Amino acid sequence: MLHPITTEHYLVLSAALLLIGTVGILLRRNAVVVMMSLELILNAVNINLVAFGKHLQQLNGQVFAIFIITVAVAEAAVGLGILIAVFRNKETVLVDEIDLLKW
Amino acid sequence: MNFLDLIWLIPILPLCGAAIMLFFGRNLPKAAIRVISPGAVGLSFLLSLGAVLQLASLPEKVHQVILFQWLPLLHADMGYMLDPLSSVMILVVTGIGFLIHVYATGYMAHEHGPRHGGFYRFFGYLNLFVFFMLTLVLANNYPLLFVGWEGVGLCSYLLIGFYFNKKSAGDAGKKAFIVNRIGDAGFILGMFFLFQITGSLTFVDVNEALRSARFSPEVGVFGVLSLTALLLFVGATGKSAQIPLYVWLPDAMEGPTPVSALIHAATMVTAGVYMCARSNALFALTPETSHIVAAVGAATAIFAASIGLVQNDIKRVLAYSTVSQLGYMFVAVGVGAYWVGVFHLYTHAFFKALLFLGAGSVIHAVSGEQDMRKMGGLKDKIPVTFGTMFIASLAIAGIPGLAGFFSKDEILWQAWSSPLGSKVLWAVGFCTALMTAFYMWRLMFMTFYGEGRMDEHTKHHIHESPKSMTVPLMVLAAGSVCAGWIGMPKVFGENGFFQGLEHWLAPVFETGKEVAEHGAEHHDTSMEWVLMGLSIGAALSGIFLARHIYLKMKESDRPTGGALHPILYNKWYVDEIYDFLFVHGFSMRGGSLMAAFDRTVVDGGVNGTAWLTKMVSRISMWYDTWIVDGLVNLSAYTVRALSFPVRFFQTGFLQSYALVFIAGVFAMFGYFWWVR
Amino acid sequence: MQGHLLSVILFTPLAGLFLLLFIPKSQKTFIRLWANITAAVGFLVSLPLIIGFDRSNGGYQFVERAEWIPSLGVQYLIGVDGISVLMVMLTTIMGFLAIFSSWDSIKDREKEYYSMFLLQQTGMLGVFISMDFLLFYVFWEMVLVPMYFIIGVWGGPRKLYAAIKFFLYTLTGGVLMLLGILLLYFNYASQFGRYTFEIAELMKINLPLATQQWVFWAFFVGFAIKVPMFPFHTWLPDAHTEAPTAGSVILAAVLLKMGTYGFIRFSLPLLPKASSDQTIVTIVAVLSIIGILYGALVSLMQQDWKKLVAYSSVSHLGFCTLGIFALNQSGIAGSVIQQINHGISTGMLFLVVGVIYERRHTREIKEYGGLAHIMPNYAIVFAIAMLSSAGLPLLNGFVGEFTILQGAFDANRIWAAFAVLGVIFGAAYLLWLYQRTMLGEVTNEKNKGLPDLKWREWAVFVPLIIWAISIGVYPKPYFDILEKPVAQIVHRVHDTANAAAVPATPTPEVASR
Amino acid sequence: MLETGFFYAFAALTLIGAILTVTLRNAIHCAISLIGSLAGVAGLYLLQKAEFLFAVQIVLYIGGIMVLFLFVIMLVNLDAAARERQYHRHWLAAVICTVGSGALITWFLRQGSGTMHLGQSAPELPSAGNVEALSDVLFKQYLVPFELASVLLLVAVVGSVIMAKKRI
Amino acid sequence: MSVYYTSLDHFVLLPVLLLALFGCATLLFDFWVFPEAHQRKYLLIFLGLGEAFAGWAYWRQGAALAINGGEISAFHGAVVVDHFALFFHWIFLITTLVVGLISYRYLEVRDEHHGEYYGILMLAQCGMFFLASGNDLVTIFVGLETMAVSFYVLVGFLRAEQRSNEAALKYLLLGGLSSGFLAYGFSILYGIAGSTLLNDISKAVASRGHSDTILFLAIATTTVGLLFKIAAAPFHMWAPDVYEGAPTTITAFLAVGSKAASFALLMRVFASTLGSARSTWEPLLIAAAVLSMTIGNLAAITQTNTKRLLAYSSVNHAGYVLLGVIAGNNTGYKGVLIYLLVYTFMNLGAFLVLTSLTRKGLAGEDINDLRGLMKKSPGHALWMLIFLLSLAGIPPTAGFFGKYFIFLSLIETGHYVLAVLGCLYAAVAIYYYMRMVKAMFIETEEEETPALSTSFGTQVALVVTGVMTLVIGVYPEPFVRLAQQSFQR
């Protein structure tokens, strides 16, 4: 149990987070939760980056992670804006009720 | 004036006539047509006469005029050749053609309707026919001969279908053309064989190569030559109405009578005989083909004669008679006596043309009736017609001294004596002669003797034909008498004139001549006398039998021929057999043969083979619509149909898309995992 | 001017089209007139070509060469040899007549119609004079579009189906052909180190048989669809039937020839080993024969006048391809002549149908009968067209058919035997058609009082009839002009084949052919 | 070995938070779980001596984004949505694909870990002056993306305003 | 702290700085100077100026490249300008300009004419710049997201329309997912190389074995992200919906600009960076290409919405371009460049005509709305014909040369099956393009509709795209040379 924590631990954790995030996107009908799941995925990437950075004795990974966080912020902002627009027009945030465009 | 160099004008003149008729005829007065059209043929006749006379003085007896190269790859030129054989032919064609043209000016004079009901068209076609026929006989190579060959077929088609508002006429024309085409297919293939064997299609070269056996060894094997000859003969059977392709000729009587006389008796139908005679070098090399030719000829002769015995339509009797006589000619060709075949062709042209024209005159007299049962007693009312036809009937029956006798007798003798001949051939020919005499005189007795059986109205209108019709009859009658004199048997004594034809034709038939002479050496003259006597006897007995039955006996007493009669009357049911085989093979639900016959006539279904073709083409069309096109449409349909499932994935649900996305990722990972 | 004669010929219709665009739509007569003038000028400028053509020279003449896309090795390289010069003349003449024949029949959207025709004219000419493969391909595909519109806009009731079928079929063949071209192009580059599409250069490639076979089949699909050969023929009846008369005429007279021309110009000289490969030749010949018989048989059963003529095209073009793959002088020369003949005869037949269609607006054979009474001149013209199509001697059809048959016979007697059957069937369906429409009593009241040929119609038919007869009577100029180029192709095919065959098995059969 | 314990604690926090985020019915509960998960990740950063990143994670992510989320959740009344079916129908296929992919990713990582020596525990980064060193990297090597990020944020701001405002 | 950048760095970044500047200016001026709706079209001036300056900068860069050769690398290798990048910059420039030109009438018709539109348009172009020029994972990723976020906004720009909202939401969520995967791949690439510079990654990748699982993981996830952006199957699902829902002008921008930018990145990543791992990614791309052509074609056949039809067709085209990357020789890459250039003009043109079909109260997106266009507006119909023929790849239009190089490269590299498949699909594609042609030329309008909404800008853009489509088809030489020059390794 108490063996040292290696980079691989972080990578596996990251994979698990990625997986959970993906499941969230695939399954949750609530668009807000879907967006939260996106955040989970980006966090998985960040774990990866920081772990690699440490593994490689560099700070680049952390910097990359900062940019990922920035991107996440931007996406969330725009996404929530779009969500509000959708809600205003359609009175729903359930993604499977938003299916005007098909076939 | 050098006529020999002008022989190309001989066919061109009628062509000009035809062109004038067809393009401007509508605007010409009838009188002009009467002059121009026969005039063109007449001029040709004069030119031919001049040319033949000049040819006689040439030592080599061949003259060729080459206008220009036509099919360079087959070394075929627009070239005309005058030699003894073609000289006989052009004289027959132009001479008899001229007479028939003249006759037709009278016969067709009653054509009514807009623009004279096609008076000009008729003469245009007729002239065109003469052009093609002359091309046929004057050609110096096979392809050009084939031009004429097809051309006369075309004109025959046009003229048979001249009264094109009659459906039966159109059908008959089409039948003639298509049956001829079947023969032509054989002819074409035969030509290709010849070209491959000899490297040329010019008569002179081909014959030269064959005689000297100068053909390339790998193609010159024995079977190939026979096949070549057989293929050419297939062509000849089509054109000359031999078994099995004879069916078109009786139907061709739908055409106007002068057409029957010119095309279907005197000239076109003999083209097959001419072609075989032309290819004598080839046939001489292939005796087994010659046997076939002779056998087919003999079979056709007796077969057609037997049908002729019972026919009631005057023109049909003559038609079957023509088929029968053509069979005779092929017997002669088949036994190697080519000159005799040509001789019979030549005499036959006179009396058969005369018979047809006479029949036309009769029909003319009785207001278009063709059924002999409704004639009778015309002897005194139309004496000229009667007289001339009387002579012709004697001639065809083989009464000594008249043209038919000499040629027919010579054929029988050659059939008996030639090394290629046999007693069986003679016997068949003999029986045919008997039958010929019988049916011809049956025709005479039914038509001219006894009581008139036509209705009153017609009776009043019976009148002799105009001069323009009777004069040609008389000329032809003279010909029927004298034409045979230039080919008398040698037993009558050797004389330059009386054996003139054989000598004249000798250069053409070098090979054939050897065969014939070879035969003559081995038979004594007494046998010839005996056979001659037998055939005279046959002719006379035929005449008397006919006289006994059709003049003396009452109608009810006449022997019906028992079971044979319907068979003969229905032409051995050949049309029906063809029908049975091809036309109604599957739809014969208990219907009688007769019913089938009626249906055929009524339908006018092209012919047996046409039905088969139609059936196959139905299948083809079905195949095309449902299989070939169907497959295409099916694949198009499949593509379209696949479109929906593909689009179906596009459900509009975001998470379905994400699922596909992840499935793609999973597939990629899985792929690599699997590959590793 | 003389140096750029071919370019002038090629671009005259295009120039006319350009000017046509400036004519306002409402000036219908002027539009017609201008289109006719352009087409006539197009024909006139092509006359110096045939006059100045040197028959004794088997190579390309009037060659013009300019760089087009140097980095791809594509050139604007045009020229004519004996084969293409005939095709060019066929195109200019038939194009003119087709445009002329549309004067009365097209009463809707004339400007577009004539534009399409002129555009197509340039495309077809380009196909026949390109000596650069890519240029050829560009023109080849360019022809599709105008034809699509001609069928699709001015066609009959099922025009849309027919048009798209035409387009899809030919395009599919075209793109596969492109692959073949590119394969050759690539092989040339890897052997000679530079890229070029020049056909004369591409001939120098030394390709193994297997590769040639691949390329051959790629070409085959393209050309066979265009011809069309047997299993690829189904677009043709639909396209022909639905197209307006002039469209059918051009389609039959020129467009289909692009396929056979392709075989002669590209398949044989570029792929001599594959083209003389026994299996391939047999397959193609058998397909041709099936096409001949099949087309004829299906024609027999047609109830639709135009469809009958369309299927007869399948049969006739079967002769053309059979001749080509007889691989001898007679076969190929005959084939080229037959292509011209088919253009004339079938063109005439389509015009004949067009004349009656314009009057009665139906193509059902049942609707007609006895027209010879009402329209005697029409009947005569039809008869000549029919006989020329049926291969009557002294008319054009015979010369081609006969020579092809002879060539086929030389190659393989059995082929000829089957092909000859096609001649019989040819007579059968045409005569039957003639009988059903022209002869007999006038059965349909509507047909009474139809006017006979008008002078404009005469003017279209007369040149064709004269042409038909002149070829039938004196085909020598055509054979002369073809002699050298065809001989070159034959030599190329056989020399290469023998060169390949001799070391392996010097059979006497091969030697004797 | 304290580090190991912390790692597992933070990892558990991260994963449990994440799982709760995707499973809880109420969106507000989801958001709070997500905050937990993000805090876990922040802890992991701290564990790896990435203090600046830890700060960013806490301030920007948890303080900024999550407030935004909660704000939106309040704005778009989700009571009705919360009562309905929570998951999409195709959950089985989705779970198979995701779990399969996840398993394969893990497999890939473990397979390849040898070549990259991932199995070794990485040495510590020099802790002192971390932020300075970071800024050095950020403004030297990553100047361009930094500037670009401002553009990105500008777009995001303008965009969210356009999207969210009723009238502009 | 010393100054870390030089004038050379400036020079490289100049165009994007200018664009950003003018973009911001647009946003500002929209508020303060042109408050009235009808004045907003003057904002186009800013767009024009921005593009003109950027063009000038590109031109200078090109000139500099011509002298120095090779590439100009700036910011420690994070940004690179070479002929390849310039080629794409020009494409982006043209695309943005054309989209801007055709937008104002469209937006007026749709009642959503706001100045932000042009600003975001230019900021999106800034993002694109880094897709083509970025040489560093971080730069590329941020650039990609800049472009993506701009597009999320633009796609949802018709805020009052449910379809537009929906498209934006879908695009955002799926785009986020794909960005996540891309970032994940990038993170592993970084882990592998220990650097975010593509050059370093390239070396690291080359030194690893072909069956390295971690490398595969990186490649696969990166591929997923890139394939999503170019809308290749099976990651294309967003495309039809987003194309349909977005404003038509933005659909054009998306179909051309975004796709070209993503392809620029894809080429840089696969051809250069991951070039040595070809055996790993080639099967993935082959599968994607074949699936794209299949799905794109099949789905388009029965489609009745023109925008959706063109969306599927663009999936199909992505498949074709991928074929060029798969072939992977010089001809293939050249082919990709030519194809994208050609695609820019023809697809822009086609969407442009569709844009004109949108009139007050008439979406103009159904295939039946094209009916009788020849009668109504022959100019539009004829140009559209040229665009469609070009999309179908029929000579002598430009599309042919796109396909030509692709097929040639496939043959050169022995991918015969793909070549034949590509050919057959080209024939299938005819069918649906011809459906549009048929509607325009053969069918007639059922009821009278108002005249097309065109403007001077639209006309200019139409002529430019049309003429270019023809010119590249008839005389492709300079463009082939350009592509040749742009891809010199």
Side-chain angles (χ1 to χ4, degrees), chain C residues 226-371:
Chain C
K226 199 85 182 183
V227 169
M229 289 181 70
F230 162 64
F232 307 111
H233 65 277
T234 51
W235 65 268
L236 181 81
D238 287 312
H240 264 329
T241 314
E242 300 306 326
T245 302
S248 305
V249 171
I250 280 295
L251 190 58
V254 189
L255 233 60
L256 305 185
K257 307 303 148 36
M258 285 162 54
T260 41
Y261 176 80
F263 276 124
I264 297 175
R265 169 70 68 238
F266 303 111
S267 289
L268 298 191
L270 287 178
L271 311 164
K273 279 186 222 160
S275 309
S276 56
D277 180 62
Q278 204 51 50
T279 326
I280 284 181
V281 169
T282 312
I283 290 172
V284 180
V286 167
L287 285 180
S288 308
I289 290 168
I290 292 177
I292 293 172
L293 299 180
Y294 191 84
L297 287 173
V298 180
S299 293
L300 264 178
M301 284 326 291
Q302 293 306 320
Q303 300 302 320
D304 180 313
W305 191 335
K306 213 168 172 185
K307 217 167 191 169
L308 194 154
V309 181
Y311 268 110
S312 83
S313 276
V314 175
S315 182
H316 284 185
L317 285 155
F319 276 105
C320 293
T321 45
L322 180 65
I324 293 170
F325 283 88
L327 298 178
N328 49 35
Q329 185 85 18
S330 298
I332 297 175
S335 176
V336 176
I337 291 180
Q338 182 65 3
Q339 286 167 38
I340 293 166
N341 292 336
H342 176 257
I344 301 168
S345 323
T346 309
M348 270 208 285
L349 284 176
F350 277 121
L351 287 167
V352 161
V353 184
V355 165
I356 199 71
Y357 185 73
E358 210 174 290
R359 287 163 171 67
R360 286 275 283 106
H361 296 286
T362 174
R363 296 184 301 250
E364 282 288 308
I365 294 174
K366 269 191 285 217
E367 291 279 318
Y368 300 105
L371 290 180

Side-chain angles (χ1 to χ4, degrees), chain B residues 250-251 253-254 311 313-321 571:
Chain B
D251 287 0
M253 296 303 139
E254 290 286 348
Q311 295 300 315
D313 182 314
I314 185 166
K315 282 180 75 179
R316 280 196 179 258
V317 175
L318 292 176
Y320 280 108
S321 156
K571 305 164 244 173

